[in-house]
Amino acid sequence: MKIVVADQNLAGIRAETEAALPAGSEIVWSPTRDAADIAALVGDADVLIGGHCPKEVADAGPGLRLVHAAGAGTDGIDVGALPAGCTVANTFHHEDSIAEYVAASAVLLRRGFLAQDAALRRGEWPTPAFDPAAPWTGSLQEATVGFVGFGHIGSRAWERLRAFGARGVAVTGRGAVDAAATGLDWAGSTADRLGELLACSDVVVVSAPLTPATEGLIGAAELASMKDSAILVNVGRGPLVDERALYEALRDDVIGGAAIDVWYGYPAPGTARAEPSSLPFRELGNVLMTPHSSGLTRQTFLGRAAAIGANVHRLAAGEPLADVVAVSGR
């Protein structure tokens, strides 16, 4: 069995990744995630590990039986171009790391630590203990956290935030969350209760999937309905929140702040530089900007390598695969 590994995140745990794959396999690592480099390697491959498989790569791999993303997203895989019967699978294991990011950024922003850090670097001490005019900040105890999306990420983040004494509410596309079983105050459908969630929440965590129906889900009107002290944490996809509306809401203090881990512009393959937005978010003091790194921990990718290895073992043994997203019918 020939296996091509094209996910650059796995390169840092190369030994662990290879150890998880079936013994005796021919394992080839693509030097980049560029389509041309991957296409040059998949001609006689059975398995491609990576979330980037456009038509150019699919056409070059007529014997591919499995394309396995090393993450949840499979939008970079052209399923229709793959050989008939080729399975597309994904994996997760980022929930704990992203939940940690959500909790950390919510505390950082809600407590005003970004502004305090900047002020202290100027020799200023903006707390009520030294400046009676300085505002009090709030902890997460009894704060309401609203989850827009309550899948792997939202539910795990809620476990962390609940430990701080927060209250929780959630909306999802189907509205199928059992509030009583999860300890939420209430849960409902996005169509029916998003406005209510935004109006009552002190922290809004966005982790819904990006689809044509959810693009721009939170725009200027939705941001204006939030508390002026509220914090927005986006760990889903950038376009879930309208780019200009978010920038203007932060610039004009319509909301209290935001942690943005998912963006509107990304580096091209093989590069590590790009503007994350056409708008100057970097100039705002109430924004935590991170480069889509909330789930990028060693623990995340060790879990993914193990899950991918287990699926390739199933493929080799002719057993049903786990975490199947699609099967090509071409």
Side-chain angles (χ1 to χ4, degrees):
M1 176 181 290
K2 180 177 177 181
I3 302 166
V4 175
V5 185
D7 191 295
Q8 301 305 301
N9 291 306
L10 295 171
I13 53 167
R14 180 167 180 157
E16 293 87 347
T17 299
E18 293 186 352
L21 296 169
S25 297
E26 179 187 357
I27 303 170
V28 181
W29 290 75
S30 175
T32 72
R33 62 187 181 101
D34 184 76
D37 287 336
I38 302 170
L41 299 174
V42 298
D44 56 349
D46 301 282
V47 177
L48 171 63
I49 298 173
H52 187 57
C53 184
K55 188 175 189 300
E56 174 186 354
V57 175
D59 287 345
L64 284 171
R65 295 190 285 152
L66 171 64
V67 177
H68 208 308
T74 58
D75 50 310
I77 300 172
D78 188 341
V79 178
L82 290 169
C86 181
T87 299
V88 175
N90 67 353
T91 184
F92 297 91
H93 298 278
H94 53 245
E95 303 92 329
D96 287 331
S97 295
I98 297 179
E100 184 176 276
Y101 174 94
V102 169
S105 59
V107 170
L108 183 82
L109 290 163
R110 186 163 166 78
R111 295 286 301 277
F113 290 150
L114 278 181
Q116 290 177 14
D117 174 86
L120 193 57
R121 292 173 190 272
R122 300 189 298 266
E124 301 170 7
W125 295 63
T127 75
F130 300 98
D131 179 2
W136 288 99
T137 62
S139 74
L140 284 172
Q141 185 176 4
E142 297 184 359
T144 297
V145 180
F147 294 92
V148 182
F150 200 72
H152 290 84
I153 294 169
S155 58
R156 198 63 58 88
W158 169 230
E159 292 177 8
R160 295 342 186 236
L161 294 168
R162 190 179 184 186
F164 285 93
R167 303 171 62 180
V169 298
V171 293
T172 62
R174 293 186 294 115
V177 175
D178 186 335
T182 54
L184 296 166
D185 283 7
W186 57 260
S189 72
T190 304
D192 293 335
R193 304 192 73 175
L194 175 62
E196 182 181 353
L197 178 146
L198 294 173
C200 76
S201 296
D202 299 294
V203 178
V204 175
V205 179
V206 181
S207 63
L210 179 63
T211 68
T214 61
E215 184 171 355
L217 180 67
I218 297 177
E222 288 75 23
L223 291 163
S225 73
M226 293 170 60
K227 299 178 182 181
D228 60 10
S229 59
I231 302 301
L232 184 141
V233 181
N234 190 0
V235 290
R237 287 292 185 267
L240 290 165
V241 184
D242 182 84
E243 181 178 11
R244 180 165 293 278
L246 178 59
Y247 169 75
E248 292 178 353
L250 292 163
R251 181 196 64 191
D252 300 338
D253 296 320
V254 173
I255 62 174
I260 311 173
D261 189 52
V262 287
W263 289 96
Y264 307 95
Y266 280 83
T271 67
R273 291 191 62 85
E275 291 297 334
S277 171
S278 61
L279 300 170
F281 282 91
R282 69 172 70 82
E283 298 175 2
L284 304 176
N286 55 353
V287 182
L288 174 65
M289 299 175 61
T290 51
H292 207 143
S293 59
S294 61
L296 295 180
T297 64
R298 181 175 175 81
Q299 288 77 11
T300 292
F301 281 90
L302 286 173
R304 289 179 174 180
I308 292 168
N311 244 359
V312 177
H313 276 278
R314 294 185 187 100
L315 180 71
E319 299 173 355
L321 303 186
D323 298 316
V324 173
V325 175
V327 178
S328 175
R330 189 175 70 167

